[in-house]
Amino acid sequence: MDGALLAPEETRAEALGRVAALLERSGVEEPRRDARALLLAAGELTPADLLLEPSALLSPEARRRLDRFARRRAAREPVSRILGARGFWTQDLVVAPDVLDPRADTETLVALALDLIGARRGEALTILDLGVGSGAIVCALLSELPLARAVAVDLSPSACAAASTNFARCGLDSRAMILRGRWAEALDARFDLVVSNPPYVASGEIATLAPEVTLHDPALALDGGVDGLARYREIIDDLPRLMAPRSFAVLEAGAGQAPTIAALLVAAGLEIAEIRKDFSGCERAIGARRRD
Ligand SMILES: C[S@@+](CC[C@H](N)C(=O)[O-])C[C@H]1O[C@@H](n2cnc3c(N)ncnc32)[C@H](O)[C@@H]1O
């Protein structure tokens, strides 16, 4: 065991410095930010507790918890998985093993979808999410669209279970139905909004990603085939038969993929409504409409 984890008695500030140093040595990208998150959770502290009383001693139980958390983070498990929760849009979602840890980038898709829906927000809209994962997108959309209902599809039983937990946790389970299956194979309905954040990493690139991803996110949620675009082709082929009049489809894109995905959407007979960048300037979400 790393000697840095064996401090006998220490203050909040000392614990923060010790864990941040351990995480830095382990190659964690933002060691102090993560050390702080783990310390707050382990000590059941608020940010103000840490700021106003940095010299208070951590209880033995809090130190034990912090050391367990720190060991897992040093082995490159993401903070969200260690704590079992992740903030997405305005909700706190459960992050389950074998299910993609939702990313802040995906909030770009949510924001674009809501903007495209615009004045129809108060209508009883129908939403389809292909590859629901933890349920992040559906939870965000249903929380903003009070009369909308969603069908959420995933091939992974773990994802279906996690989405079910999160729909109930957010009080949205009466408006969301989960279907386990292959994309829209079992569906013959039309929807006002179709959303998807499909797997988009080229198969050969998966092994080159950070350990937080390769060791903890399931391959089914990452693998986009040889060129990273195979899942888009599968999904886009089906979009015209799934989209109601005046509807939109909004897809998340990996870095550099947006122009090709837009071309696939146009080839399927749809019209590009908007391509939106995320906060790092990457074209992240593509909105398309039917040509009615
Ligand atoms: C990138 S994850 C997105 C999860 C979630 N929507 C999010 O944004 O956090 C892609 C999801 O697609 C699911 N998936 C992969 N292939 C699928 C298929 N053929 N049919 C249905 N779902 C599939 C995976 O299990 C995974 O949950």
Side-chain angles (χ1 to χ4, degrees), residues 88 98-103 106 129-137 153-156 159 181-184 196-200 218 220-222 231 234 252:
F88 183 89
D98 278 338
V99 181
L100 188 95
D101 179 4
R103 310 295 206 270
T106 302
D129 184 357
L130 296 172
V132 69
S134 64
I137 297 172
V153 181
D154 209 291
L155 192 54
S156 149
R182 224 167 258 286
W183 303 135
S196 185
N197 172 20
Y200 54 63
L220 184 65
L222 301 174
R231 311 298 159 241
E234 293 165 11
E252 178 162 326

Side-chain angles (χ1 to χ4, degrees), residues 197 200 232 251-255 257-258 261 282-286:
N197 172 20
Y200 54 63
Y232 292 97
L251 305 181
E252 178 162 326
Q257 293 175 328
I261 297 165
C282 166
E283 290 183 328
R284 184 61 69 189
I286 305 163

